[in-house]
Amino acid sequence: IAGAAEASMGNYDAAIEWARKSLRENRRFTSSHRVLTIALTLSGRMEEGRAAATRLLDLEPGLTVS
C-alpha cells in the first residue's frame, strides 16, 4: 500500500523501494509487481520496467491494461 501511495504522488524511487521490500517478503504478491512495473516505467527506467512487467505477466498471464 505504501508503494502505491508513493507512486500516486509521483515519488517513484520511494515506490520502487517499497515494492521491492514487499516482494522480498512475498515474491508472488502481484499488487507489488504492478506498483514496481508502473514506478520503474514512469521513472524512465524502461528496461527494468519491461523486466518487471514480464515477471508480473508470468504470475498473472491474463492481465490486460485498459
Side-chain angles (χ1 to χ4, degrees):
I1 294 174
E6 293 288 0
S8 72
M9 293 185 292
N11 299 329
Y12 303 124
D13 289 336
I16 292 164
E17 186 176 324
W18 279 111
R20 286 184 171 153
K21 185 180 294 190
S22 172
L23 291 170
R24 282 193 295 273
E25 296 295 322
N26 182 354
R27 302 294 295 159
R28 300 187 61 79
F29 190 47
T30 57
S31 292
S32 292
H33 281 282
R34 284 188 211 110
V35 169
L36 182 60
T37 299
I38 291 165
L40 285 167
T41 302
L42 291 177
S43 69
R45 296 159 69 173
M46 301 306 286
E47 289 302 315
E48 290 177 88
R50 282 187 193 97
T54 298
R55 287 189 300 275
L56 173 58
L57 289 171
D58 286 343
L59 294 171
E60 199 171 326
L63 180 69
T64 60
V65 178
S66 58

